[in-house]
Amino acid sequence: MIPSRHLGLLMIISGATFWGLSGPMIQWLFYHTDLSSEDYLVIRLLFAGITILGFLLFSKQNIFEIWKHPKDWIQLCIFAVIGMLAGQYTFIETLDKSNAVTATLFQFLGPIIITIYVATRKKKLPTTMQLLAVVAAVSGTFYLITNGSIENVVLSKRAILYGTLTAVTFAFYTLHPKSLIKRWGTLQIVGWGMLLGGVVLWMVHRQFSFHQVAGTLTIGTFLMLLIILLSGTVSFLLYIGSLKYLSAVETGLLSSIEPLVAAILSIAWLKESFGAYQLLGGAFIVVAVILLTLPERELKQNVARERIL
């Protein structure tokens, strides 16, 4: 494997770990505050967007140049609303209607959508390693959600709806921003995407008030919110940045460690219980990650071709 590929693997695995940790932390925050999903996301998106763009300005980078190119800023706005905002909103709503692990697992239907899209566009089946990884990831997701029996799935219609939309938006924000990132850089695209997404949600969610939100927080819940904001921002930067070095299919599948991390933290911290088949599902997801990191010749040859997405 070439050095850049090593970097891409490190970025996506680290980003997935941070995101997996954030799910149970968000669930804890909702348990201990009166924050709504919209309240939380307005704060998260605005904080992250302003922080990233502020850093770029401090580094004397021209963050406004993109707005002189209509084709690019139109795509940026699409990414901000459909990718960044919708992706996070549907995930948080799924979490709120079910739990952190379920929300994370719904997100991992996204790689299946990506794989189908790539295969359809290229009119070529995925590589052997990718197919095996898909099978392992899907099997792991099934066992984690059902504990080996479909009858054990107990989700509301809203949870299923938001979960499905989470998968779709996951695929979109994985595939859509690649050309923008290559031209403008990860930090600028993610920063603008978060800031624009936060502004749009703030305009739609007129009930939002910083004063009201502050009144619902204690020192403990404020510190937790701050940790979540920082870890969430870092996870998105690492995830989107990994697209420079890895294919969309690889990035989507490698991030399948997220539900495993979320499950471990939920068991150890939130005291949620998981059955033997769910633990087996976690093992399958780890196998999927291992399959994708093996230096198979077929995989290496296809990485370059898939980067044209």
Side-chain angles (χ1 to χ4, degrees), residues 38-248:
E38 293 83 358
D39 291 334
Y40 165 74
L41 279 179
V42 170
I43 296 171
R44 178 176 190 165
L45 292 171
L46 290 179
F47 172 86
I50 292 172
T51 300
I52 293 171
L53 293 177
F55 170 78
L56 292 176
L57 279 176
F58 182 78
S59 303
K60 298 182 180 180
Q61 296 189 38
N62 186 358
I63 64 174
F64 302 105
E65 180 66 24
I66 190 173
W67 298 100
K68 298 179 182 179
H69 303 268
K71 181 179 178 181
D72 288 342
W73 68 252
I74 289 174
Q75 293 303 312
L76 174 61
C77 290
I78 293 173
F79 169 68
V81 176
I82 302 178
M84 190 64 70
L85 173 57
Q88 294 207 34
Y89 180 77
T90 54
F91 176 87
I92 296 301
E93 280 295 305
T94 306
L95 183 152
D96 190 42
K97 301 300 184 295
S98 54
N99 56 63
V101 177
T102 300
T104 306
L105 292 170
F106 262 115
Q107 178 177 298
F108 285 91
L109 294 175
I112 308 304
I113 297 174
I114 293 171
T115 302
I116 294 172
Y117 172 82
V118 171
T120 301
R121 179 172 177 177
K122 292 180 174 294
K123 298 180 180 179
K124 181 178 177 64
L125 291 175
T127 67
T128 301
M129 282 297 185
Q130 289 170 348
L131 284 174
L132 289 175
V134 167
V135 172
V138 171
S139 299
T141 300
F142 171 80
Y143 284 125
L144 277 169
I145 293 176
T146 67
N147 196 31
S149 174
I150 291 293
E151 295 178 357
N152 289 334
V153 178
V154 183
L155 294 174
S156 67
K157 292 182 179 179
R158 290 178 67 85
I160 295 174
L161 172 62
Y162 283 117
T164 302
L165 291 175
T166 297
V168 173
T169 53
F170 174 92
F172 182 85
Y173 75 63
T174 300
L175 293 168
H176 183 78
K178 292 197 70 175
S179 60
L180 289 173
I181 288 173
K182 287 180 179 179
R183 183 169 183 181
W184 301 102
T186 302
L187 289 177
Q188 185 167 165
I189 297 305
V190 172
W192 277 118
M194 288 185 164
L195 179 59
L196 293 173
V199 170
V200 169
L201 183 57
W202 192 358
M203 294 173 63
V204 174
H205 182 51
R206 296 181 179 276
Q207 301 95 321
F208 176 81
S209 166
F210 282 105
H211 178 74
Q212 182 178 357
V213 168
T216 68
L217 297 175
T218 63
I219 294 178
T221 54
F222 172 76
L223 290 176
M224 177 60 73
L225 176 61
L226 185 59
I227 293 172
I228 294 170
L229 293 175
L230 293 173
S231 64
T233 302
V234 171
S235 71
F236 264 93
L237 290 175
L238 292 172
Y239 178 84
I240 297 295
S242 70
L243 293 172
K244 286 185 176 181
Y245 311 106
L246 303 174
S247 70

Side-chain angles (χ1 to χ4, degrees), residues 6 28 51-52 61 70 93 133 136 146 236 269 277 285 294 300:
H6 278 298
W28 181 93
T51 300
I52 293 171
Q61 296 189 38
E93 280 295 305
T146 67
F236 264 93
W269 183 36
Y277 280 105
I285 292 173
L294 290 176
K300 292 166 73 174

